[in-house]
Amino acid sequence: MQRIAAEPLDALRTRTSAKWRLYPADVLPLPVAEMDYPLAEPIAAALHAAIDRSDTGYTNGSLPVAEAFQDFASTRLGWEVDPARVTCTADVSMGIVEVLRRVTTPGDGVIITPPIYPPFFDLVAEASCAVVEVPMLGGIDEGWALDLDGIDAAFAAGARAMVLCNPHNPIGLVPDASTLAALAEIAARHDATIVADEVHGPLAQPATPYTPFLTVSETAREHGIAITSASKSFNIAGLKSALVVTASERADRVRQQLPYEVEWRMGQFGAIASIAAFREGGPWLDGVLASLDDNRRLLADLIADELPGVRYRIPDATYLAWLDLSALGWGDDPAAYALEHAKVALAIGPTFGATVGRGHARLNFACTPEVLSEAITRLADARIG
């Protein structure tokens, strides 16, 4: 497989995105979920062509993106999507909030599963709901699993919805079909809704294929709404395009209640880039997955050699590593110590869950092997110092 090589630091530091502007030049920035690979050529060509024709107006609705995604989802993900059951919006987070507003009433509980993508806490609050934490079972050593009994109990206690992270950020878990089907049955038993964030789905490694929630059963289609995007897998988060996908009349009614403006918030460049990604980006994505596979394994070797005691489980999806740095004695927030003493920026562990995140941090390994190696060496030197 032809790898896609990440760009060198001197080129990356000319970028103006948050990852490259939040920290001084002597810091290796590895917290933000943004890849260091060059933009896929079909996407770049589509955007250049749009500029050349001054195509910077409003988007032409959801259908062009939905039809491109239909082919991509069928071919790569085994997911048959009806374009007529897709409403686009700006990003996955916006889609989550808008759907939650329509399947809950203010004050209702919404389940999330720490350690979890930190904005989930805020998105639930933005939807005027209350966060109900049901932490993941297991851990780095033995592996992770959704706590289905805990989720069942939380629904029984009154929660009305759950935000499912599939695959899971930050631990890289890809739930299997039987687990997802069981989750759907739990939701049905309580007449609740699963809002499935599936943005990292195309970043599952081939050995552990991702199962879209809406594919596992009729019950999942009845009680689930999926939200996805090309943003993570093709590194176009700044261009603003996401898809809200339904597969039942019950879920259709929710999607159809979305305010008119939700669809118009999709960016024109986001739509153009997404169509190019879904239609022509497959070879690039395959090359990125191969490079990420190399890096996730390299990280395990580097940690074993230079940071014994640090715990890391190779993720099955995403380009994010969840690290238990407790053995280093750097406190509840080791990312703060790493930034000050090693000049390595990591995502702050406790923001993923105040309890389960203590002593942890998230590292983005979608970079050159040299940057990854340098980061671990800096962390090791800070420990020795």
Side-chain angles (χ1 to χ4, degrees):
M1 173 60 62
Q2 181 68 42
R3 271 68 174 162
I4 301 295
E7 295 189 299
L9 274 176
D10 58 349
L12 293 166
R13 293 196 186 281
T14 66
R15 295 184 181 182
T16 61
S17 60
K19 181 176 181 180
W20 297 101
R21 288 293 181 265
L22 287 175
Y23 304 97
D26 61 346
V27 171
L28 293 179
L30 303 178
V32 179
E34 174 186 322
M35 296 192 284
D36 292 353
Y37 303 106
L39 194 63
E41 180 53 38
I43 299 175
L47 293 171
H48 282 298
I51 290 291
D52 289 343
R53 63 177 180 264
S54 300
D55 194 2
T56 56
Y58 293 109
T59 59
N60 183 30
S62 299
L63 190 60
V65 176
E67 289 179 336
F69 182 67
Q70 178 187 34
D71 294 339
F72 178 86
S74 178
T75 302
R76 291 193 69 101
L77 309 176
W79 182 7
E80 300 305 322
V81 172
D82 181 352
R85 286 177 149 169
V86 173
T87 297
C88 290
T89 190
D91 55 43
V92 169
S93 291
M94 182 176 292
I96 290 172
V97 171
E98 295 296 344
V99 169
L100 285 178
R101 284 173 172 159
R102 267 127 213 111
V103 300
T104 62
T105 57
D108 281 348
V110 174
I111 299 166
I112 61 174
T113 54
I116 196 68
Y117 178 56
F120 277 14
F121 292 90
D122 296 326
L123 300 180
V124 171
E126 187 178 345
S128 300
C129 293
V131 169
V132 178
E133 297 186 38
V134 181
M136 300 294 293
L137 294 176
I140 289 174
D141 294 332
E142 65 271 40
W144 305 87
L146 288 167
D147 182 357
L148 294 177
D149 289 340
I151 292 166
D152 192 8
F155 279 133
R160 300 303 306 136
M162 172 181 168
V163 182
L164 169 71
C165 200
N166 175 36
H168 195 287
N169 170 11
I171 60 179
L173 172 71
V174 182
D176 61 28
S178 62
T179 297
L180 296 175
L183 176 63
E185 292 298 326
I186 291 169
R189 189 156 57 245
H190 300 285
D191 193 28
T193 303
I194 305 297
V195 184
D197 173 354
E198 314 233 337
V199 71
H200 289 283
L203 291 169
Q205 288 292 333
T208 50
Y210 136 83
T211 302
F213 182 70
L214 297 185
T215 68
V216 299
S217 67
E218 284 300 326
T219 305
R221 289 184 278 278
E222 183 74 9
H223 289 271
I225 296 174
I227 306 173
T228 191
S229 174
S231 59
K232 292 302 180 190
S233 47
F234 291 96
N235 210 40
I236 55 172
L239 298 183
K240 296 303 179 184
S241 175
L243 305 89
V244 180
V245 184
T246 55
S248 69
E249 291 183 4
R250 178 185 187 274
D252 286 344
R253 287 192 292 272
V254 175
R255 184 178 48 76
Q256 290 162 357
Q257 292 169 13
L258 295 173
Y260 176 77
E261 281 297 321
V262 166
E263 183 176 34
W264 285 98
R265 290 170 187 157
M266 176 170 60
Q268 172 74 328
F269 283 178
I272 289 168
S274 295
I275 292 167
F278 293 142
R279 296 277 192 215
E280 305 174 72
W284 180 92
L285 181 56
D286 289 336
V288 164
L289 284 168
S291 293
L292 295 177
D293 186 25
D294 292 343
N295 275 7
R296 65 178 181 153
R297 299 178 191 279
L298 172 62
L299 180 58
D301 293 339
L302 292 169
I303 288 173
D305 290 344
E306 300 188 51
L307 287 171
V310 169
R311 296 162 64 235
Y312 158 62
R313 186 177 188 86
I314 295 176
D316 293 326
T318 81
Y319 46 84
L320 305 167
W322 184 240
L323 306 179
D324 181 355
L325 303 169
S326 302
L328 300 179
W330 292 355
D332 288 349
D333 177 16
Y337 187 97
L339 182 59
E340 180 179 357
H341 297 278
K343 302 300 181 185
V344 175
L346 304 172
I348 299 168
T351 64
F352 293 80
T355 300
V356 296
R358 285 190 199 128
H360 291 67
R362 192 190 72 180
L363 179 149
N364 175 349
F365 56 80
C367 56
T368 65
E370 293 77 16
V371 166
L372 190 57
S373 298
E374 173 66 15
I376 298 305
T377 296
R378 288 188 186 191
L379 294 173
D381 290 345
R383 177 203 58 183
I384 293 169

